[in-house]
Amino acid sequence: MAKAHPKFNRIAPWADRFNTPSTAQLQSGLPAPVASIFKQARRMLHDAGFTHESPQWRGECWKWTIEFSAGPRRELMAILIPSPENLQFALPVTAEFLQSLPMKRLKKSVREGLELAAEPFDTNLAVWFLTAGLVSDLEDLLQRRVRQLTRKTG
């Protein structure tokens, strides 16, 4: 009688640090409602001109992420963290950009993510847990960031 082999759970593409996943693989590991929000966020980033996507391992906390830029050798513009449990969006911001924002007019959910990139925190990444409504709320903020970057380089 043959011995039964133990069954191994396959590692999700998002968590497998030794195999670089494609964007499609990362999306396929998301539950349907989260995958829809993921697609909406990608569309928002592409519409903003950040069409270059690059999977990057960001350690055990974020695991595989998708980093967005305007081209292969351009500055990092945004990060999508395709966690099946907590889809997140990170936006690099500067103190100058934060000071230019009309904070009182921004929705509370947008302000909360921006607070993570301000003093006393030691990072330049604003971070949000994405929901369908929040993606549309972040579009204005992303457009402001693009305009600021265009003024600096233009």
Side-chain angles (χ1 to χ4, degrees), residues 51-69:
T51 55
H52 183 77
E53 299 180 5
S54 174
Q56 297 294 321
W57 179 258
R58 287 274 182 153
E60 283 302 314
C61 181
W62 279 357
K63 300 184 184 343
W64 282 104
T65 65
I66 302 171
E67 296 187 357
F68 290 80
S69 65

Side-chain angles (χ1 to χ4, degrees), residues 70-100:
R73 290 183 173 55
R74 300 264 176 95
E75 176 182 358
L76 171 67
M77 293 288 118
I79 303 170
L80 269 179
I81 302 97
S83 165
E85 294 86 28
N86 292 311
L87 177 63
Q88 296 172 63
F89 173 71
L91 183 68
V93 295
T94 62
E96 175 189 4
F97 177 68
L98 291 174
Q99 292 168 355
S100 74

Side-chain angles (χ1 to χ4, degrees), residues 22-51:
S22 67
T23 300
Q25 288 172 314
L26 291 170
Q27 183 177 323
S28 72
L30 299 172
V34 177
S36 175
I37 297 167
F38 178 83
K39 284 192 242 181
Q40 184 183 3
R42 280 184 69 216
R43 191 173 327 113
M44 172 187 70
L45 290 161
H46 289 178
D47 289 350
F50 308 143
T51 55

